[in-house]
């Protein structure tokens, strides 16, 4: 089992090798992951330890496979992220590079996710693991707007994992002129934490002001 696991520190990583089964990347501040596959593959990503990748108690943040392309790009504002990689014998190469960067502006051409800082999504979701770096609101995602846009209209499928309330809602804007954004809130305790939505658009944004409500969390996937 452990011989299928690889660990990396995001600030020092550049990897070209045959795929491992499980890959964990860690850093104390937000970072990006740029990946390229050659061959058939399926991938599940969670902001958890590698030993929780198969657990139903941990929410996934991203999934993809070779039918959606050979590349993906993720922006991570959690302490660690783990990948469960399933490959065919023809898969010869996986390239992973990281950078200590983070942007709230994203391309609608790529599937990805947005989350509250330090999102884990495992077990007791009222507890979020953070470090002092996430007290810096400019880095962490408190009181920020995620903007996803592009030139072409796309059909977007959204799904979410919510653990927030009226004091820290996520506001979902469906266009640049949306004057009535959707208010997103939910709780696993009341079984209202799951959210799904479909939309044809070339722009959407997510705003969350959680700097005074650090026990609130959210995850929004878009594909």
């Amino acid at each position: 089992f452990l011989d299928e696991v690889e660990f990396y520190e995001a600030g020092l990583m550049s990897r070209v090798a045959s795929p491992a089964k499980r890959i964990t990347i860690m850093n104390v501040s937000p970072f990006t992951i740029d990946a390229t596959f050659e061959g058939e593959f399926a991938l599940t990503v969670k902001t958890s330890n590698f030993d929780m990748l198969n657990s139903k108690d941990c929410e996934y943040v991203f999934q993809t496979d070779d039918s959606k392309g050979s590349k993906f790009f993720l922006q991570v504002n959690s302490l660690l992220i783990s990948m469960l990689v399933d490959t065919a014998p023809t898969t010869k190469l996986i390239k992973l590079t990281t950078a200590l960067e983070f942007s709230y502006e994203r391309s609608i051409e790529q599937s990805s996710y947005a989350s509250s800082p330090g999102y884990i999504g495992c077990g007791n979701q009222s507890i979020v693991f953070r470090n002092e770096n996430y007290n810096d609101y400019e880095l962490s995602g408190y009181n920020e707007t995620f903007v996803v846009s592009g030139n072409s209209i796309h059909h977007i499928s959204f799904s979410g994992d919510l653990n927030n309330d009226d004091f820290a809602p996520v506001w979902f804007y469906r266009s640049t002129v949306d004057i009535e954004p959707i208010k997103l809130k939910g709780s696993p305790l009341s079984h209202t934490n799951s959210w799904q939505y479909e939309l044809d658009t070339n722009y959407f944004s997510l705003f969350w002001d959680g700097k005074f409500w650090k026990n609130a969390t959210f995850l929004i996937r878009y594909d």
Side-chain angles (χ1 to χ4, degrees):
F1 177 75
L2 289 178
D3 60 356
E4 298 179 332
V5 181
E6 295 181 2
F7 297 90
Y8 296 95
E9 198 280 314
L12 304 172
M13 181 182 182
S14 181
R15 177 191 190 280
V16 179
S18 298
K21 183 69 174 178
R22 295 172 174 84
I23 299 171
T24 294
I25 305 171
M26 301 171 285
N27 202 68
V28 295
S29 59
F31 58 95
T32 61
I33 301 173
D34 195 353
T36 302
F37 285 83
E38 291 185 2
E40 299 176 21
F41 72 95
L43 182 82
T44 297
V45 180
K46 297 184 178 183
T47 51
S48 67
N49 293 323
F50 70 90
D51 55 347
M52 299 298 288
L53 281 166
N54 288 318
S55 173
K56 295 181 179 179
D57 294 329
C58 294
E59 192 79 18
Y60 77 91
V61 297
F62 180 72
Q63 287 183 327
T64 191
D65 58 45
D66 55 274
S67 69
K68 299 179 181 179
S70 61
K71 299 181 180 182
F72 69 87
F73 181 76
L74 296 178
Q75 307 208 49
V76 182
N77 60 344
S78 296
L79 298 181
L80 77 166
I81 197 165
S82 295
M83 305 177 188
L84 181 63
V85 186
D86 185 16
T87 59
T90 57
T91 303
K92 298 180 180 179
L93 179 70
I94 177 175
K95 182 178 181 181
L96 289 172
T97 57
T98 58
L100 300 184
E101 302 171 349
F102 191 83
S103 174
Y104 298 100
E105 296 183 2
R106 316 283 176 85
S107 171
I108 205 167
E109 305 293 332
Q110 298 177 323
S111 301
S112 191
Y113 75 97
S115 73
S116 53
Y119 176 84
I120 299 296
C122 293
N124 184 354
Q125 297 179 28
S126 65
I127 299 175
V128 179
F129 299 97
R130 296 189 179 90
N131 62 65
E132 62 184 9
N133 290 62
Y134 289 110
N135 293 329
D136 183 346
Y137 299 151
E138 293 182 0
L139 288 176
S140 66
Y142 295 113
N143 194 24
E144 289 289 351
T145 300
F146 293 88
V147 176
V148 183
S149 62
N151 295 323
S152 303
I153 300 291
H154 289 262
H155 181 79
I156 309 295
S157 297
F158 298 89
S159 59
D161 178 39
L162 305 170
N163 185 21
N164 60 340
D165 54 25
D166 284 314
F167 294 103
V170 178
W171 293 100
F172 174 48
Y173 293 82
R174 293 158 289 180
S175 70
T176 57
V177 293
D178 190 351
I179 60 174
E180 295 184 357
I182 299 175
K183 184 179 184 179
L184 305 180
K185 63 176 183 175
S187 169
L189 298 177
S190 59
H191 305 289
T192 58
N193 55 305
S194 294
W195 174 74
Q196 293 184 328
Y197 195 78
E198 303 283 329
L199 180 66
D200 293 319
T201 188
N202 66 343
Y203 175 97
F204 67 89
S205 64
L206 299 160
F207 172 75
W208 184 64
D209 186 356
K211 59 182 177 292
F212 300 116
W213 305 96
K214 294 184 180 180
N215 60 332
T217 65
F218 78 89
L219 161 71
I220 304 295
R221 295 177 290 256
Y222 52 93
D223 186 11

